């Protein structure tokens, strides 16, 4: 059995952050049995270390960084962190399940993923980060406030664009989706690699679902997103919903 470590939130408990969404999509797509453990941010390091899951990266001062998503696979006694590395592990360990990286797409997906993160994550996060505080339980909210103060030099309340600044910032998000749509339009199928879903699609879907979950499905931003590029992202979201 695979244990999937997701982030806790206020009720109702669901996946809400873009990175855990990617792993949930991957596990469901491959039809692998798993159980979910929801952790508060301050619990991540102690709980993941306890079961032998390595850090995903390091902080600026060199300290190990423990993050969600992470998984522990009892069948191989292996812990893995980071959604991309988890996807690679699942393909390698369960070769008879649908591939997240079909043969021949590995290098292209690596390049796509690097560009996608820079293209979409950077302009979208000013809208997402302040909503985390409203979604998280108090222990995680307090922890994240401290992290943001160290990382960005200002409190969460000051990070969200407002007024005309928000309008202009959202235009940058739309411009990023226009670029992404240009890439998708080159595919002969409904997905970035053609007719078959790959990890690249789940990376994009994770961001779309995060906007819906965090900012709200009735928000102007999500309603805008669903109309951009002739409704292409609404179609894209619907096509992966079965794996959410």
């Amino acid at each position: 059995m695979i244990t999937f470590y997701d982030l806790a939130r206020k009720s109702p408990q669901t996946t809400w952050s873009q990175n855990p969404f990617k792993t949930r999509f991957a596990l469901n797509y491959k039809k692998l049995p798993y159980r979910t453990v929801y952790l508060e941010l301050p619990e991540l390091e102690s709980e993941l270390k306890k079961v032998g899951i390595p850090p995903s990266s390091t902080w600026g001062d060199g300290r190990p960084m423990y993050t969600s998503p992470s998984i522990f696979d009892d069948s191989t006694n292996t812990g893995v962190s980071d959604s991309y590395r988890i996807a690679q592990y699942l393909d390698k360990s369960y070769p008879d399940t649908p591939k997240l990286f079909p043969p021949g797409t590995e290098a292209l997906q690596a390049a796509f993923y690097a560009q996608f993160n820079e293209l979409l994550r950077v302009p979208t996060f000013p809208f997402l980060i302040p909503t985390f505080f409203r979604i998280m339980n108090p222990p995680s909210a307090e922890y994240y406030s401290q992290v943001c103060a160290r990382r960005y030099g200002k409190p969460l309340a000051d990070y969200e664009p407002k007024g005309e600044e928000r309008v202009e910032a959202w235009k940058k998000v739309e411009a990023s989706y226009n670029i992404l749509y240009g890439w998708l339009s080159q595919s002969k199928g409904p997905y970035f690699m053609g007719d078959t879903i790959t990890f690249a699609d789940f990376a994009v879907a994770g961001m779309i679902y995060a906007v819906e979950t965090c900012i709200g499905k009735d928000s102007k931003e999500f309603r805008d997103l669903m109309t951009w590029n002739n409704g292409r992202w609404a179609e894209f979201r619907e096509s992966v919903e079965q794996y959410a």
Side-chain angles (χ1 to χ4, degrees):
M1 174 69 74
I2 294 172
T3 301
F4 167 40
Y5 294 91
D6 201 346
L7 294 176
R9 61 162 290 175
K10 294 176 181 176
S11 182
Q13 180 63 70
T14 58
T15 294
W16 56 273
S17 179
Q18 60 142 349
N19 290 319
F21 260 124
K22 288 180 274 187
T23 294
R24 190 172 294 281
F25 282 131
L27 289 165
N28 290 336
Y29 177 63
K30 296 175 84 67
K31 297 182 179 179
L32 295 171
Y34 66 95
R35 70 184 185 102
T36 305
V37 174
Y38 294 100
L39 297 176
E40 302 290 347
L41 287 176
E43 297 178 308
L44 283 173
E45 181 169 354
S46 61
E47 293 300 315
L48 298 184
K49 286 172 70 173
K50 189 184 300 182
V51 295
I53 296 176
S56 62
S57 184
T58 57
W59 295 99
D61 59 6
R63 291 181 297 117
M65 180 188 295
Y66 290 86
T67 57
S68 171
S70 291
I71 65 167
F72 189 85
D73 189 349
D74 291 333
S75 65
T76 61
N77 199 36
T78 301
V80 189
S81 58
D82 181 79
S83 59
Y84 195 90
R85 288 198 291 267
I86 290 170
Q88 291 177 313
Y89 166 82
L90 295 176
D91 267 5
K92 181 179 179 180
S93 299
Y94 299 95
D96 295 330
T97 61
K99 295 287 189 183
L100 297 163
F101 300 92
T105 71
E106 297 91 343
L108 183 58
Q109 287 205 67
F112 176 95
Y113 192 66
Q115 291 295 317
F116 161 79
N117 260 350
E118 185 68 21
L119 175 69
L120 208 55
R121 183 178 179 275
V122 171
T124 306
F125 258 46
F127 294 89
L128 291 177
I129 287 178
T131 71
F132 297 167
F133 189 79
R134 300 190 287 269
I135 288 173
M136 292 173 173
N137 293 311
S140 290
E142 181 179 352
Y143 179 92
Y144 197 68
S145 293
Q146 295 171 359
V147 168
C148 284
R150 291 196 304 267
R151 183 178 291 182
Y152 305 117
K154 55 184 177 182
L156 284 176
D158 295 341
Y159 200 78
E160 186 172 12
K162 297 180 176 64
E164 187 59 32
E165 179 187 355
R166 186 180 184 89
V167 173
E168 293 304 313
W170 191 239
K171 287 180 181 178
K172 293 180 181 179
V173 177
E174 182 178 10
S176 294
Y177 274 95
N178 288 339
I179 294 173
L180 202 61
Y181 176 69
W183 298 350
L184 182 57
S185 298
Q186 300 302 309
S187 171
K188 293 182 179 179
Y191 304 110
F192 282 92
M193 302 294 160
D195 292 323
T196 303
I197 291 180
T198 65
F199 185 72
D201 300 294
F202 291 146
V204 175
M207 186 63 78
I208 293 173
Y209 270 73
V211 171
E212 178 179 1
T213 305
C214 296
I215 302 179
K217 66 185 303 180
D218 296 323
S219 66
K220 176 185 181 303
E221 286 79 11
F222 183 69
R223 286 187 280 112
D224 282 349
L225 174 52
M226 292 295 95
T227 64
W228 288 343
N229 306 121
N230 299 314
R232 185 65 183 88
W233 303 113
E235 295 174 4
F236 189 87
R237 181 210 169 281
E238 185 177 355
S239 74
V240 301
E241 187 171 11
Q242 61 185 308
Y243 308 115

